[in-house]
């Protein structure tokens, strides 16, 4: 009897466990069976990475899941999605208009089922984001205002795709590419600079030779300024001479002697003046009248020459005055005519 009771209790426990597991599976597989759900249509330009059954969150809290995926969408549906997005989120006044190149803006539609009690407003933004660094894609609905009203079943939303790791890597490569080019050129310049430095620091380079010569110059300068060098001895001797001159007043005595000598030289020059004049006259006589060395009386001095010149001038004046007397012949002719 006790054995039958234990078997019955075990069977009931197994049945209850199976019922609970089935209930959980039905709840997870068909969440709308026990609670009311609403469906929203979210449009994306690219639905890569999103899967059916992916979680749908409201500000980070899970409220539903992805039901279906549609790609591509028709032109009319894309147009309606753009109109709905413009009505909810009008473009900024200073924003440049999107060029109409004929391509659709939204190419994928994601239908999501969320809890009806979730407060999803009409002006909310839907973003496709990645959960973690290597996690799955999910849809997060944020930034809704109560004044816009609750979203109804079948409401359309314009979705935005958050850059994932691949997009971030592509953008990073675009940013890094010019930096890498600059770094490459900088490395080439550094290589050229290092080669030039190698040439400058070579054993037979001009810089090395100049440094060696400068070193030799420094050694010679040290030798010149040494206490036992010839320059030091010369400076000491000059110092001794100047000290001796200052102590014995030799400079003053030398200046006095120089002044006396200059005065005597002036007197000698004055005395030598007539002798110089005689020498000058002697040389002039030798040049003009060399025969005077034999007949000295033929020498004419400047005073005699001046007197001779004055006498000749008077003779010329007398002759000119004698020629100026008028002739009496015209008077005689006139008296004879009368």
């Amino acid at each position: 009897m006790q054995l039958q009771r234990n078997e019955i209790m075990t069977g009931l426990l197994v049945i209850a466990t199976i019922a609970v597991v089935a209930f959980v599976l039905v709840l997870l597989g068909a969440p709308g069976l026990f609670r009311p759900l609403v469906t929203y249509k979210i449009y994306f330009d690219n639905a890569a990475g999103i899967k059916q059954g992916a979680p749908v969150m409201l500000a980070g809290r899970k409220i539903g899941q992805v039901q279906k995926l549609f790609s591509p969408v028709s032109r009319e549906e894309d147009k309606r999605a753009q109109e709905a997005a413009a009505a909810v989120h009008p473009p900024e006044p200073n924003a440049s208009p999107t060029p109409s190149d004929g391509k659709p803006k939204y190419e994928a539609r994601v239908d999501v089922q969320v809890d009806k009690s979730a407060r999803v407003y009409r002006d909310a933004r839907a973003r496709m984001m990645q959960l973690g660094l290597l996690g799955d894609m999910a849809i997060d609905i944020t930034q809704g205002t109560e004044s816009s009203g609750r979203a109804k079943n079948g409401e359309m939303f314009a979705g935005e795709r958050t850059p994932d790791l691949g997009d971030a890597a592509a953008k990073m490569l675009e940013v890094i590419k010019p930096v890498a080019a600059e770094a490459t050129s900088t490395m080439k310049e550094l290589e050229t600079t290092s080669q030039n430095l190698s040439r400058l620091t070579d054993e037979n380079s001009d810089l090395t030779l100049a440094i060696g010569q400068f070193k030799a110059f420094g050694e010679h300068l040290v030798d010149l300024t040494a206490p036992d060098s010839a320059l030091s001895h010369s400076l000491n001797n000059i110092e001794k001479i100047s000290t001796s001159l200052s102590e014995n007043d030799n400079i003053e005595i030398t200046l006095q002697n120089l002044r006396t000598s200059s005065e005597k030289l002036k007197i000698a020059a004055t005395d030598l003046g007539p002798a110089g004049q005689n020498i000058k006259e002697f040389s002039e006589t030798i040049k003009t009248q060399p025969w005077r060395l034999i007949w000295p009386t033929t020498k004419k001095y400047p005073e005699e020459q001046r007197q001779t010149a004055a006498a000749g001038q008077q003779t010329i004046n007398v002759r000119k005055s004698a020629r100026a007397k008028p002739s009496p012949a015209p008077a005689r002719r006139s008296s004879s005519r009368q």
Side-chain angles (χ1 to χ4, degrees), residues 72-118:
V73 297
S74 61
R75 185 67 60 82
E76 290 77 9
E77 193 171 2
D78 172 61
K79 186 176 180 180
R80 289 197 302 269
Q82 292 186 22
E83 291 176 355
V88 177
H89 302 288
E92 297 179 0
N94 298 329
S96 58
T98 304
S100 57
D101 52 359
K103 296 181 180 180
K105 184 177 180 181
Y106 301 106
E107 298 185 359
R109 190 187 80 190
V110 180
D111 291 348
V112 298
Q113 284 185 342
V114 300
D115 190 356
K116 188 177 181 180
S117 61

Side-chain angles (χ1 to χ4, degrees), residues 47-55 65-69 110 136-138:
I50 195 72
K51 298 178 181 179
Q52 189 173 356
Q65 63 184 6
V66 176
Q67 183 185 16
K68 293 180 181 180
L69 299 173
V110 180
D136 295 332
M137 302 298 291

Side-chain angles (χ1 to χ4, degrees), residues 104-297:
K105 184 177 180 181
Y106 301 106
E107 298 185 359
R109 190 187 80 190
V110 180
D111 291 348
V112 298
Q113 284 185 342
V114 300
D115 190 356
K116 188 177 181 180
S117 61
R119 296 183 179 181
V120 180
Y121 299 104
R122 296 185 60 192
D123 60 349
R125 295 181 181 272
R127 296 184 305 156
M128 186 185 298
M129 56 183 295
Q130 188 175 9
L131 299 176
L133 186 61
L134 300 175
D136 295 332
M137 302 298 291
I139 296 176
D140 188 19
I141 302 173
T142 56
Q143 297 180 357
T145 56
E146 188 176 359
S147 60
S148 62
R150 296 280 293 272
K152 299 179 182 179
N153 188 21
E155 195 80 24
M156 293 188 300
F157 293 93
E160 300 174 358
R161 184 181 178 87
T162 304
D164 55 0
L165 184 60
D167 298 336
K171 291 183 178 180
M172 190 177 296
L173 287 176
E174 292 179 359
V175 174
I176 291 176
K177 187 179 290 184
V179 178
E182 292 290 336
T184 304
S185 103
T186 304
M187 291 300 294
K188 290 181 180 179
E189 292 178 358
L190 288 175
E191 184 178 1
T192 305
T193 304
S194 64
Q195 292 177 358
N196 294 332
L197 287 175
S198 299
R199 295 192 191 97
L200 285 174
T201 56
D202 192 40
E203 184 177 358
N204 297 324
S205 64
D206 296 336
L207 181 61
T208 305
L209 296 176
I211 291 174
Q213 293 177 359
F214 186 75
K215 183 178 179 181
F217 173 75
E219 293 176 354
H220 293 319
L221 187 61
V222 171
D223 295 337
L224 284 174
T225 56
D228 299 332
S229 63
L231 181 61
S232 298
H233 289 302
S234 300
L235 293 175
N236 292 330
N237 293 332
I238 292 172
E239 184 178 1
K240 290 179 180 179
I241 292 170
S242 62
T243 304
S244 176
L245 290 174
S246 60
E247 289 178 354
N248 299 328
D249 294 333
N250 290 332
I251 296 177
E252 186 177 355
I253 296 171
T254 303
L255 293 175
Q256 184 66 29
N257 295 333
L258 182 61
R259 188 180 298 109
T260 305
S261 300
S262 63
E263 291 177 356
K264 290 181 180 180
L265 184 61
K266 288 181 181 180
I267 295 170
T270 305
D271 294 339
L272 288 175
Q277 183 66 28
N278 295 331
I279 294 171
K280 182 178 179 182
E281 291 177 358
F282 178 75
S283 62
E284 184 69 25
T285 303
I286 294 299
K287 291 180 182 179
T288 58
Q289 298 176 4
W291 59 86
R292 189 177 178 276
L293 296 174
I294 301 172
W295 294 287
T297 56

